[in-house]
């Protein structure tokens, strides 16, 4: 009887040990699976993320970094620390305003007022566009190292607060639009569907740059009626030429992220064109400057020393950019991308020079 009890107890102990071993083994297996899943969901190393945070803080600059702490994420949503987009949005509108001012012999005061109004509008609407982009891309931004620290993707601004902030920016933008002549209102509002849907294009087409270019150069159409003149023969070639310029510089911009974009499933002209990018950009640029020349001829402004000289310098800088940029070097792509600010400003200065000559009766 005692022997049977010992055998029974030994069997129970063996059974309990086997169950314990199975439980431990199962727990280890679950932990290993969890670790693998976490690693799969984290495309960057801790060092990469640390560097991204340091780069973001360093990039805030002397002005944004001094804002109240709670304001900084919203300033970043507007990209106030990176004004390149605001300048590139503003420039085509400035050309249209100055060209229309020359055609109508507008006063210096009214021209300066409209240039300033477009400047504020560019700042606000570019900020609204960036907020929309970050809202729609918040689950993609965390897969690209350059955008992983953006306020919504990083959790520093909630989607709900971002939507409220977008509403405030849109309201201010509409207020600026009401300061323009009534004929500008419908033309300005017509750009909003593209502005609000641009971020979606990268999900289903390799040409999101076309949507961006369509709305980013809208000022080339708006500047003329803002000065009380509608000259479609100049407005359309100026707009299409600016569209092609934007396609060129934004494709260079897209080459920064092409390796991450492939992993994240994001599409762009950089991926679509690949090694043919420079040849395509050269072709677009030839068409761009032909259209600018046509805008100058149709407006009667082509033979001004500023227009000819400024357009020549513009073309030189764009073709040099295409020739020298290293499309496989993200830092070099960024350097050449931001060079377009000065490229466009030189043309604005040249047009303004012609405008001053006309005001003084020397042209």
């Amino acid at each position: 009887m005692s022997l049977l009890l010992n055998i029974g107890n030994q069997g129970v102990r063996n059974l309990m040990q086997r169950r314990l071993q199975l439980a431990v083994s199962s727990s280890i297996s679950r932990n290993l699976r969890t670790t693998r899943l976490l690693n799969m969901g984290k495309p960057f190393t801790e060092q990469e993320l640390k560097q991204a945070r340091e780069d973001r803080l360093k990039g805030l600059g002397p002005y944004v970094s001094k804002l109240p702490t709670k304001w900084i994420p919203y300033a970043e949503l507007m990209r106030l620390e990176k004004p390149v987009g605001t300048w590139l949005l503003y420039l085509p509108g400035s050309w249209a305003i100055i060209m229309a001012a020359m055609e109508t012999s507008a006063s210096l005061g009214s021209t300066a007022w409209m240039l300033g109004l477009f400047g504020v509008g560019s700042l606000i609407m570019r900020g609204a566009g960036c907020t929309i982009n970050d809202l729609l891309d918040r689950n993609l931004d965390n897969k690209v190292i350059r955008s992983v620290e953006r306020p919504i993707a990083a959790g520093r601004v909630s989607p709900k607060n971002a939507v409220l902030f977008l509403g405030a920016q849109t309201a201010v933008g509409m207020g600026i639009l009401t300061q323009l002549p009534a004929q500008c209102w419908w033309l300005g509002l017509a750009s909003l569907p593209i502005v609000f849907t641009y971020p979606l294009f990268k999900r289903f087409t390799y040409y999101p740059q076309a949507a961006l270019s369509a709305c980013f150069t809208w000022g080339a159409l708006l500047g003329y009626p803002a000065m009380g003149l509608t000259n479609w023969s100049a407005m359309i070639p100026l707009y299409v030429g600016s569209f092609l310029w934007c396609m060129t510089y934004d494709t260079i911009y897209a080459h920064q992220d092409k390796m991450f974009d492939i992993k994240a499933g994001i599409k762009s002209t950089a991926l679509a064109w690949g090694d043919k990018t420079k040849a395509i950009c050269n072709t677009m640029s030839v068409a761009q400057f032909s259209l600018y020349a046509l805008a100058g001829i149709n407006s009667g402004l082509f033979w001004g020393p500023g227009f000819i000289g400024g357009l020549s310098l513009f073309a030189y800088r764009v073709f040099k950019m295409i020739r020298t940029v290293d499309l496989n070097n993200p830092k070099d792509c960024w350097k050449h991308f931001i060079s377009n600010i000065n490229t466009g400003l030189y043309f604005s200065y040249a047009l303004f020079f012609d405008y001053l000559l006309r005001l003084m009766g020397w042209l």
Side-chain angles (χ1 to χ4, degrees), residues 180-192:
L180 301 178
Q183 64 200 88
C184 295
W185 296 352
W186 291 112
L187 188 58
L189 291 172
S191 68
L192 292 183

Side-chain angles (χ1 to χ4, degrees), residues 33 62 73 89 149 202 224 250-251 292:
R33 284 199 301 271
L89 178 63
E149 274 292 303
K202 68 187 75 173
Y224 261 87
D250 201 50
T251 296
Y292 284 166

Side-chain angles (χ1 to χ4, degrees), residues 26 37 39 86 111 116 118 122 135 171 179 184 187 216 316 344 362:
S26 177
L37 287 171
N39 288 336
T86 299
T111 303
F118 266 57
S122 297
L135 273 167
Q179 301 302 305
C184 295
L187 188 58
F216 226 65
Y316 167 76
W362 296 351

